[in-house]
Amino acid sequence: MIVSNRMRNSIERGKPMAALFTAKDRLTQRFGPDDVYDFSIGNPNVPAPATVKESILKQAQELSELELHSYTPVEGYPFVRKAIAEHDREKFGVDLTEKNILMVAGAAAGLNVVMTTLLDEGDEVIVLKPYFAEYAVYVEHAGGVLIEVPTQEGTFRIDVKEIEKAITRKTKAVLINTPNNPTGVIYSEDELKELADMLYKKCNDLGIDIVLISDEPYRDLAYGDEKVPFLPKIYDNTLVVYSFSKSLSLPGERIGYITISDSMQERDLVKAGLATAIRSLFVNAPSLIQRVVADCINDECDVAYYKRNGETLYEELTKIGYECVKPAGAFYLWVKALVDDDFEFAKIAEDHHIAVLPGSAFAGPGYVRLSFCVAYETIVGAIPHFREMYEDVCG
Ligand code: PLP
């Protein structure tokens, strides 16, 4: 037997999910390529800003091969971290320097680094349902145990009382994601303050330290007045994980960073842990693309494109009669399934040429997720199919 039992289990557990991601191929075979509406995958479809390509060309021309391709410092180049710190200092009105920033190969890497740094075997990490399914993998790989907690029914906002009930002496972290995949919700400063107050009290009562981990790859995809606050201002022991996958449309380049503020308890030790985890997991941010994000730190992809997509899909589906959560950010619409079983509803959608992901893939049964990082024409073309499906199911 060559492959470990742990990996065999992971492969088996991943199989039903993998099948969900092949809907587009199935539909294309059934209906042909021009009459299929794929809302299943969250792959950015807006191109990176032109400045990204300009920067890549500039770096390739101006730097020697050795400078371009050498190993980088574990935490990332100081000048890159400085550019990011200055940008975020201005944006959030907080005191940040390069010492507060560690570059990593995207948010997924950042979260793995954080889990590896914080968790001992059996430590518990609270996540809020529905959540990005990969969290289970990140937590379990670091020896932790994932604890699922409900959010408020219908609005999917933080339910502080439910989190409080789930906290035990083994709780090491609460992991939140704002703007949220899959609901599009952005948590308000008030609800985060309420969460922070409860965490401070629980830590004090139980004599434990709980870290708040904020997963923010969609931070800059926010469509209205609601913005993502700087979490370490609200709760001292916060680690923020950011990524350029969505804001600069660079998911394949694997680039992001972790922010650790000065208010973090045992800051230097936590930082040393994060740096050690980056090295041991070998998820250092790639050299060329670090330089590029420093050049393009004030740029972003065409966020207005996603905004129009989200508004159109939300308004049109709501008009038909679907119950949807209005997306404040990210690029997902969370829609109540028209039948109880969301897997069955996803199949019904396929019969109507539409690919969606069942909410159960995010521990959110009874709902489906529509990714609106698609061509605007896909949304316009899909509306009659959504209408027909509604009439077929609801009469
Ligand atoms: N967290 C959430 C909620 C995501 O949706 C994703 C990717 O889609 C990630 C983390 C991973 O992002 P990255 O591409 O930066 O690794």
Side-chain angles (χ1 to χ4, degrees):
M1 191 176 101
I2 304 217
V3 174
S4 71
N5 283 324
R6 184 173 37 79
M7 182 49 79
R8 280 163 200 267
N9 289 338
S10 293
I11 293 170
E12 280 312 307
R13 269 196 303 169
K15 274 185 184 161
M17 262 343 142
L20 299 175
F21 289 87
T22 54
K24 187 181 179 195
D25 296 343
R26 272 198 305 280
L27 292 187
T28 306
Q29 272 184 0
R30 268 175 85 181
F31 304 115
D34 298 331
D35 201 13
V36 165
Y37 305 91
D38 181 15
F39 296 95
S40 60
I41 310 289
N43 213 351
N45 72 317
V46 166
T51 45
V52 166
K53 193 171 184 179
E54 284 160 22
S55 173
I56 292 172
L57 294 174
K58 185 189 85 177
Q59 312 290 346
Q61 271 164 358
E62 289 180 1
L63 299 177
S64 72
E65 277 75 4
L66 273 181
E67 283 171 307
L68 261 182
H69 307 302
S70 63
Y71 287 116
T72 73
V74 173
E75 297 170 7
Y77 288 118
F79 74 91
V80 175
R81 290 160 38 223
K82 185 162 179 274
I84 289 172
E86 278 171 5
H87 173 268
D88 287 0
R89 190 166 65 207
E90 182 105 337
K91 177 171 176 163
F92 295 114
V94 289
D95 200 14
L96 287 174
T97 71
E98 65 269 28
K99 295 200 181 102
N100 302 107
I101 307 290
L102 293 98
M103 303 305 296
V104 280
L111 290 168
N112 276 288
V113 164
V114 168
M115 296 306 165
T116 304
T117 304
L118 301 182
L119 301 184
D120 277 315
E121 206 64 34
D123 280 348
E124 293 172 356
V125 177
I126 291 176
V127 293
L128 313 186
K129 291 198 288 184
Y131 61 89
F132 180 54
E134 298 292 314
Y135 289 164
V137 182
Y138 307 158
V139 170
E140 285 167 22
H141 274 185
V145 178
L146 194 82
I147 306 292
E148 295 178 343
V149 166
T151 43
Q152 294 188 33
E153 210 183 318
T155 64
F156 303 95
R157 308 209 73 95
I158 297 176
D159 191 330
V160 174
K161 291 220 158 52
E162 287 293 336
I163 301 177
E164 185 172 9
K165 274 198 268 172
I167 290 176
T168 71
R169 281 183 197 286
K170 287 234 154 234
T171 305
K172 197 62 194 275
V174 175
L175 168 55
I176 61 169
N177 167 221
T178 178
N180 190 267
N181 174 9
T183 63
V185 168
I186 296 181
Y187 303 132
S188 70
E189 196 154 333
D190 283 349
E191 71 190 310
L192 292 165
K193 277 186 180 149
E194 198 195 332
L195 171 65
D197 288 346
M198 182 277 288
L199 291 179
Y200 281 129
K201 183 171 178 311
K202 275 305 230 192
C203 288
N204 199 32
D205 290 352
L206 296 176
I208 56 172
D209 299 313
I210 299 175
V211 175
L212 184 61
I213 306 165
S214 190
D215 178 27
E216 302 181 6
Y218 302 95
R219 183 163 77 205
D220 295 313
L221 305 191
Y223 305 125
D225 297 335
E226 292 168 88
K227 296 279 172 256
V228 177
F230 186 69
L231 264 291
K233 253 194 204 162
I234 297 173
Y235 185 71
D236 287 345
N237 287 342
T238 298
L239 292 170
V240 182
V241 179
Y242 181 80
S243 159
F244 294 95
S245 289
K246 323 288 174 179
S247 60
L248 284 178
S249 284
L250 296 174
E253 301 298 346
R254 313 309 307 137
I255 183 77
Y257 62 93
I258 301 170
T259 304
I260 173 168
S261 82
D262 288 341
S263 60
M264 181 95 199
Q265 193 183 321
E266 296 178 19
R267 191 201 69 170
D268 291 345
L269 189 60
V270 178
K271 228 182 118 183
L274 295 170
T276 304
I278 290 173
R279 218 174 45 223
S280 60
L281 295 170
F282 225 87
V283 288
N284 312 54
S287 159
L288 171 61
I289 207 72
Q290 279 194 50
R291 297 172 188 277
V292 171
V293 296
D295 264 359
C296 303
I297 191 68
N298 293 314
D299 302 326
E300 60 181 20
C301 69
D302 185 2
V303 177
Y305 191 94
Y306 294 135
K307 181 176 189 303
R308 179 168 82 138
N309 276 3
E311 282 172 0
T312 307
L313 198 58
Y314 172 79
E315 276 160 24
E316 292 298 325
L317 293 198
T318 308
K319 241 190 267 167
I320 293 170
Y322 289 91
E323 239 178 82
C324 316
V325 177
K326 189 165 188 196
F331 39 50
Y332 306 107
L333 186 67
W334 189 237
V335 183
K336 197 159 174 35
L338 296 179
V339 295
D340 289 343
D341 182 341
D342 48 295
F343 285 98
E344 194 192 326
F345 183 59
K347 278 205 199 110
I348 296 172
E350 286 195 17
D351 291 338
H352 288 84
H353 303 223
I354 297 166
V356 299
L357 286 186
S360 294
F362 306 88
Y367 282 78
V368 291
R369 188 196 78 172
L370 272 59
S371 238
F372 56 78
C373 46
V374 295
Y376 186 68
E377 295 67 38
T378 302
I379 292 173
V380 174
I383 299 305
H385 293 274
F386 276 111
R387 187 173 299 113
E388 199 183 281
M389 173 160 69
Y390 190 86
E391 283 161 7
D392 277 1
V393 179
C394 301

